[in-house]
Amino acid sequence: MFNNKELFKTAFKEQLVSRLGKSMDEATAGDIYKILGNLIREVIGREWAETNQEYKSQQQKQVYYFSMEFLIGRLLGNNLLNLGLLETVRDGLLELGWNLEEIEEQEPDAGLGNGGLGRLAACFLDSLASLGYAGHGCGIRYKYGLFEQKIIDGHQVELPDDWLQKGNVWEERRPDKRVLVSFWGQVEISEENGRTVFRTVNDEKIWAVPYDVPVIGYGDLHVNTLRLWSAESAMDPARMRMQGQNSYYKFLDYNRSVESISEFLYPDDSGYEGKLLRLKQQYFLCSAGLHSVLRTFEKLGRPYTELPDKVALHINDTHPTLLIPELMRILIDDQGFGWDEAWDITTRTVSYTNHTLLSEALEKWPVNMVRELLPRVYMIIEEINKRFCGMLLERFPGRQDLVDQMAIIESDQVKMAHLAVVGSYSVNGVAQLHTDLLKQDVMKPFYELYPERFNNKTNGITHRRWLMHANPELSRLISETIGTEWILNPHQLLKLEEYKDDPAFQESIMRIKRGNKLRLADYIRQKQGISVDPDSIFDVQVKRLHGYKRQLMNILHVMHLYNEIKDHPSEERVPRTFIFGAKAAPGYYLAKSIIKLINVVADVVNRDPQMNGKLKVLFLENYSVSLAEKIIPAANVSEQISTAGKEASGTGNMKFMMNGALTIGTLDGANVEMHEMLGDDNMFLFGLRSEEVLQYYRSGGYHAREMYERDPRIKRVMDQLVSAGPFCCHDLEFGLISQSILDLNDEFFVLRDFGSYADTQAAIDRAYLDTQAWAAKSIVNIAHAGHFSSDCTINRYAADIWKIRPVQPAIQV
Ligand SMILES: *Cc1c(COP(=O)(O)O)cnc(C)c1O
């Protein structure tokens, strides 16, 4: 271990020679990155093995977090931070002539996720390891992560994300730990020794090969594992060759189809993805992951009846729900358990997090597809359903309506959320409001049947990445002001509240913010050649593009501001820079035309000399974790403006809060909890409440056209979408947007909330003019953000759901 600069420099130069045969003069930034990664791998190698050994010898209960997505981003900086080597390496590299930030830019983002759900999984891994819990990730090693977004002529263009092209310094291929996964075939049933035996024949077997990534905790060296599975051919090429030319082509075809299973992440953020390949991916993850978990469990030499005491299997949304029938299958077919005992073990081992209230995002699979691809698993789902429906009818005689409503298999569809609730012991929502709505609405009958299963676990974010790594200056200021205790116990950030009216501290906060804005301004100038005013309000909305997130309302409001400035050119204004970043699912045409609209508005506004010093609009392409780390510390205003009742939690909102931005938002998701802590003074609320939205959905009464006719501001911007003017129009390309609002009655209440949003934005202008008051609000936000550290969230999962304790209780939150 190189715990000082000189040792580091020596070790570094040695590696450069021994691995690449290069001297410092010959090395490229890419070389430096690679060598640094290898050095870290060496540093942690022994501890990684030791952590595993410790788990084994202490027979620790292990948590496995199954997720189709891990939106990790870059690891170099965070690993150095968690190892306590950031300063040593930064200083050492500087003396060798390199800037660490520049080296970090060499690392491709691991973009194995779409958005919030995948990023949550990554934050959880960091907290599990940092708090000393035995908790591991289980996912898929997609060859291509979420597409890279280019903006060409204002349109989103998707490019493949070839993130593994230059290798991945963090992963370790473990062919010795591969497992077979089986698809297709037929189930043969026979009687053997008085027992019914199920055997799948003519199936297609493939290899799942794990790639392990170390998850390095902060402080005390504690290294967990993220195991990512890759699909490989299990056909013996030698045998194929014996059978002649034709079978050679079959072999190649087969290979191609096998590899496609872990080829790419579905770029669909929350919608239903009806592809066979997606179902294959889900089963591949569940089957491979479970086999490897059970292999580790079996080494303990304990009976399977103790599985729930030694293993917790958590599923991140319904995507890995097949874990439930797969565990049943293994317990019954391979371990010889009877149904009831297997069911008892399974339902005491699996827990489930629900992530969405959007009905179109609730997963359903056609019965035929599941039955053909996974014949034995389907039989088990059918049996689970039969027993569940039977139980319902017994408890609620004559209530066929209830059975139809709650069944796992209904109308030739397998409903994954129902299977997940029935087959697990805990169901949690991701913010208080979301959990309440699950209980009252979406999952009401299940809640009434199993009230003890439902609980809330409000999402969180790791303050190590989102504050310490993304905003080192702010971190340093906090430590200088209240000491470093907050790093291990983020609740301690509350101590900052005492300083909210301290002029010197306020001044430091604003100076650091300005520095971050300057850095972002540099990035923007370099990428787009546009200069932005660091003294303008940086107003940011970065997140996936979706109707319910209402980027449309934001850009319509910008158009309205443009109109106002045009109408009153000599009026003084508080300068604003609106910054957007968002990827749209490639098949989501409405979302893509909103991206185009933002870019058109940006172009018009930024070229107009009358807007100079008053208004700027930017769309930053390819929103990703590493870009988020650049943008969020520079924000003054955080846009969290979803239709109330639609955003399950949000985590972007927490990142901004932690970095001192003030939120303009609806009472939705975790904004509700932010508001409880901050009060009206430190947050800008507007818009419909979730009850009002629900009331409209239930009883009607909303007419978007009325809003359009009534409010001239709205009429003007809506007309500008489709008639000749500054923003339009040769080909009616925004017709789809206009239609969705005026003809399809504005599903997400954009026009309904527009007035309230515009008024609140005006209030923000006024508030920003009082710099001291603004700084005080910013400080209060940072002070309360510790509550949203994923360390707190993970401690609650550990205590309430998984029933685990830290291996070494080093950190108390
Ligand atoms: C945090 C994060 C998200 C989630 O943002 P929301 O505002 O909660 O939707 C999405 N993408 C990236 C890259 C993130 O870092």
Side-chain angles (χ1 to χ4, degrees):
M1 175 95 152
F2 43 89
N3 35 25
N4 73 54
K5 197 171 57 186
E6 293 310 317
L7 284 178
F8 162 70
K9 278 161 52 184
T10 309
F12 187 87
K13 285 188 280 195
E14 273 173 22
Q15 286 260 338
L16 198 56
V17 172
S18 66
R19 282 188 182 262
L20 299 178
K22 288 189 178 180
S23 67
M24 276 314 290
D25 303 340
E26 297 164 298
T28 64
D31 296 334
I32 307 282
Y33 164 69
K34 209 167 207 156
I35 296 299
L36 261 183
N38 282 313
L39 266 180
I40 293 175
R41 284 280 307 282
E42 250 167 50
V43 167
I44 58 137
R46 205 182 31 185
E47 277 75 10
W48 196 4
E50 271 173 13
T51 302
N52 283 321
Q53 201 50 47
E54 208 171 72
Y55 290 156
K56 206 167 146 190
S57 64
Q58 296 186 18
Q59 303 231 336
Q60 280 280 331
K61 183 172 181 180
Q62 307 285 307
V63 174
Y64 298 94
Y65 195 83
F66 278 70
S67 180
M68 287 287 283
E69 306 191 10
F70 287 92
L71 186 49
I72 297 165
R74 292 175 175 150
L75 283 174
L76 177 62
N78 276 87
N79 282 344
L80 288 171
L81 172 77
N82 284 7
L83 286 165
L85 293 174
L86 201 54
E87 299 307 317
T88 308
V89 168
R90 178 181 291 125
D91 296 350
L93 274 185
L94 214 51
E95 288 179 16
L96 295 173
W98 289 93
N99 186 322
L100 179 60
E101 279 68 44
E102 187 187 335
I103 302 305
E104 286 185 58
E105 291 293 323
Q106 295 299 310
E107 180 171 0
D109 269 44
L112 310 183
N114 275 295
L117 172 148
R119 185 53 232 171
L120 183 77
C123 282
F124 279 5
L125 292 183
D126 183 68
S127 287
L128 281 164
S130 295
L131 294 165
Y133 288 113
H136 312 279
C138 194
I140 294 178
R141 179 183 180 267
Y142 301 104
K143 187 169 172 208
Y144 298 98
L146 183 60
F147 65 84
E148 184 188 336
Q149 180 194 54
K150 286 257 178 254
I151 299 297
I152 297 177
D153 283 340
H155 291 284
Q156 166 173 299
V157 173
E158 302 94 22
L159 301 179
D161 164 45
D162 197 2
W163 71 294
L164 292 168
Q165 198 179 37
K166 295 181 179 168
N168 176 1
V169 293
W170 306 115
E171 70 184 11
E172 178 133 26
R173 180 181 156 90
R174 305 297 295 272
D176 52 315
K177 307 230 172 201
R178 65 185 185 171
V179 303
L180 282 171
V181 175
S182 147
F183 295 107
W184 311 107
Q186 298 87 38
V187 180
E188 280 186 357
I189 306 174
S190 57
E191 294 290 323
E192 282 173 28
N193 307 323
R195 231 169 64 79
T196 311
V197 173
F198 301 88
R199 197 170 286 117
T200 306
V201 296
N202 301 321
D203 57 339
E204 185 180 296
K205 290 193 174 63
I206 67 164
W207 284 118
V209 180
Y211 288 69
D212 286 353
V213 179
V215 182
I216 303 168
Y218 183 85
D220 284 340
L221 259 190
H222 187 95
V223 185
N224 287 334
T225 302
L226 167 60
R227 180 158 280 180
L228 298 174
W229 296 93
S230 180
E232 291 185 15
S233 164
M235 209 174 265
D236 179 6
R239 225 185 66 221
M240 293 304 300
R241 225 175 293 132
M242 300 294 290
Q243 294 165 1
Q245 189 71 7
N246 214 14
S247 60
Y248 177 69
Y249 285 112
K250 264 202 240 160
F251 171 71
L252 293 184
D253 273 353
Y254 160 81
N255 258 9
R256 205 170 303 128
S257 95
V258 166
E259 281 161 16
S260 71
I261 292 176
S262 53
E263 188 140 76
F264 69 95
L265 167 80
Y266 270 90
D268 210 294
D269 190 36
S270 59
Y272 165 69
E273 187 48 71
K275 296 280 191 320
L276 176 66
L277 183 57
R278 170 86 174 165
L279 182 62
K280 275 192 182 179
Q281 289 185 329
Q282 295 188 351
Y283 182 68
F284 175 74
L285 167 67
C286 294
S287 184
L290 189 55
H291 275 94
S292 119
V293 167
L294 296 181
R295 195 139 73 185
T296 306
F297 169 73
E298 283 179 4
K299 287 195 189 133
L300 298 176
R302 320 286 290 215
Y304 265 89
T305 48
E306 288 181 25
L307 186 71
D309 308 322
K310 295 294 168 200
V311 169
L313 303 173
H314 198 90
I315 58 178
N316 194 22
D317 213 326
T318 53
H319 319 141
T321 302
L322 291 171
L323 207 54
I324 293 165
E326 178 68 355
L327 180 53
M328 287 295 286
R329 187 187 70 77
I330 293 170
L331 290 171
I332 294 171
D333 294 357
D334 300 348
Q335 300 298 325
F337 282 97
W339 183 276
D340 290 337
E341 213 167 3
W343 186 243
D344 177 63
I345 294 170
T346 300
T347 52
R348 287 193 297 126
T349 306
V350 180
S351 49
Y352 154 59
T353 297
N354 173 287
H355 277 273
T356 184
L357 297 165
L358 302 180
S359 54
E360 69 270 25
L362 289 174
E363 284 194 303
K364 299 180 190 80
W365 295 105
V367 158
N368 283 338
M369 195 191 280
V370 182
R371 185 164 43 208
E372 280 168 34
L373 183 68
L374 310 166
R376 178 61 183 138
V377 165
Y378 181 73
M379 285 176 71
I380 289 171
I381 298 174
E382 221 170 22
E383 184 67 21
I384 296 173
N385 181 52
K386 199 180 99 191
R387 288 171 184 246
F388 175 64
C389 294
M391 180 275 288
L392 283 178
L393 273 181
E394 211 168 279
R395 280 185 57 173
F396 309 99
R399 292 291 307 278
Q400 189 57 43
D401 60 315
L402 200 66
V403 174
D404 292 345
Q405 193 189 353
M406 298 175 76
I408 294 162
I409 302 172
E410 204 264 324
S411 306
D412 282 323
Q413 305 235 292
V414 181
K415 298 183 169 175
M416 300 310 265
H418 296 192
L419 180 55
V421 177
V422 172
S424 60
Y425 67 90
S426 166
V427 179
N428 74 280
V430 290
Q432 194 58 56
L433 174 68
H434 171 230
T435 302
D436 291 344
L437 291 172
L438 277 181
K439 292 186 196 175
Q440 290 160 20
D441 198 49
V442 185
M443 297 214 164
K444 187 159 188 262
F446 288 98
Y447 172 62
E448 284 166 359
L449 186 64
Y450 305 122
E452 72 289 347
R453 290 188 192 182
F454 284 76
N455 64 94
N456 176 248
K457 294 288 167 283
T458 300
N459 281 168
I461 55 165
T462 167
H463 58 287
R464 287 166 291 275
R465 180 179 293 266
W466 295 109
L467 179 49
M468 298 169 72
H469 183 256
N471 201 342
E473 279 85 5
L474 180 57
S475 260
R476 201 170 307 125
L477 174 69
I478 294 171
S479 293
E480 283 165 12
T481 309
I482 60 168
T484 56
E485 226 181 301
W486 66 275
I487 295 172
L488 295 187
N489 181 355
H491 280 303
Q492 297 285 325
L493 285 173
L494 274 175
K495 287 184 183 161
L496 288 173
E497 207 166 6
E498 269 177 53
Y499 298 85
K500 78 184 171 72
D501 298 316
D502 177 338
F505 189 67
Q506 289 178 345
E507 216 264 325
S508 303
I509 287 283
M510 296 307 274
R511 176 176 44 76
I512 288 166
K513 182 64 80 183
R514 194 166 191 282
N516 293 336
K517 288 165 80 174
L518 280 169
R519 258 187 301 280
L520 181 60
D522 272 348
Y523 176 86
I524 290 169
R525 187 173 311 109
Q526 184 199 320
K527 288 278 171 185
Q528 302 197 2
I530 295 175
S531 60
V532 297
D533 172 11
D535 294 316
S536 64
I537 298 175
F538 277 25
D539 177 314
V540 183
Q541 186 172 22
V542 286
K543 48 182 75 241
R544 282 301 287 259
L545 210 132
H546 208 290
Y548 82 82
K549 291 177 183 279
R550 298 201 293 193
Q551 283 94 350
L552 179 58
M553 186 167 67
N554 187 344
I555 197 65
L556 288 176
H557 173 253
V558 173
M559 290 162 65
H560 158 67
L561 290 181
Y562 171 89
N563 293 334
E564 285 221 308
I565 297 171
K566 279 294 193 195
D567 291 350
H568 312 283
S570 56
E571 221 164 75
E572 286 253 355
R573 299 199 65 89
V574 186
R576 269 266 193 151
T577 301
F578 287 93
I579 297 171
F580 293 83
K583 288 179 182 175
Y588 190 174
Y589 297 106
L590 183 58
K592 288 178 133 178
S593 41
I594 293 170
I595 290 180
K596 171 70 181 177
L597 175 63
I598 296 169
N599 280 294
V600 166
V601 172
D603 204 47
V604 170
V605 167
N606 299 344
R607 280 164 190 272
D608 188 329
Q610 278 183 305
M611 299 298 129
N612 233 336
K614 293 179 178 164
L615 190 60
K616 276 255 154 72
V617 183
L618 293 136
F619 187 98
L620 301 186
E621 69 183 3
N622 202 37
Y623 183 56
S624 56
V625 172
S626 55
L627 185 53
E629 289 182 52
K630 293 185 176 75
I631 295 173
I632 292 171
N636 298 116
V637 173
S638 159
E639 298 266 356
Q640 307 301 335
I641 59 179
S642 53
T643 312
K646 293 286 175 189
E647 186 76 86
S649 164
T651 48
N653 45 3
M654 302 168 185
K655 300 167 195 165
F656 282 100
M657 178 186 184
M658 198 173 267
N659 283 278
L662 305 196
T663 301
I664 177 167
T666 48
L667 273 179
D668 198 15
N671 295 355
V672 176
E673 287 151 77
M674 284 168 57
H675 178 249
E676 277 165 16
M677 294 189 290
L678 297 172
D680 286 335
D681 285 348
N682 298 298
M683 202 175 158
F684 296 91
L685 284 186
F686 74 95
L688 291 174
R689 306 301 191 242
S690 61
E691 313 85 69
E692 297 171 301
V693 170
L694 270 177
Q695 186 58 33
Y696 275 131
Y697 281 134
R698 286 197 187 115
S699 324
Y702 174 56
H703 306 288
R705 270 198 187 273
E706 267 174 27
M707 307 298 309
Y708 166 81
E709 299 294 352
R710 195 163 7 142
D711 186 334
R713 300 173 298 183
I714 293 178
K715 182 159 195 317
R716 187 161 172 199
V717 292
M718 287 306 294
D719 288 346
Q720 284 173 328
L721 286 180
V722 286
S723 50
F727 306 110
C728 199
C729 197
H730 44 282
D731 53 1
L732 267 187
E733 63 182 334
F734 305 130
L736 204 59
I737 300 176
S738 165
Q739 235 173 45
S740 77
I741 300 287
L742 296 177
D743 300 340
L744 302 176
N745 202 31
D746 187 12
E747 183 183 358
F748 299 111
F749 301 96
V750 170
L751 300 195
R752 179 68 177 75
D753 277 348
F754 182 91
S756 155
Y757 178 64
D759 296 345
T760 309
Q761 285 287 23
I764 287 179
D765 279 342
R766 292 189 294 275
Y768 196 72
L769 290 175
D770 185 346
T771 308
Q772 291 200 330
W774 184 278
K777 293 181 209 295
S778 173
I779 293 164
V780 174
N781 270 267
I782 299 165
H784 286 273
H787 177 79
F788 290 119
S789 166
S790 46
D791 285 7
C792 308
T793 314
I794 279 298
N795 276 327
R796 291 186 207 113
Y797 273 85
D800 302 348
I801 301 178
W802 303 325
K803 314 288 183 204
I804 54 164
R805 271 205 272 259
V807 176
Q808 298 138 318
I811 300 173
Q812 250 101 45
V813 180

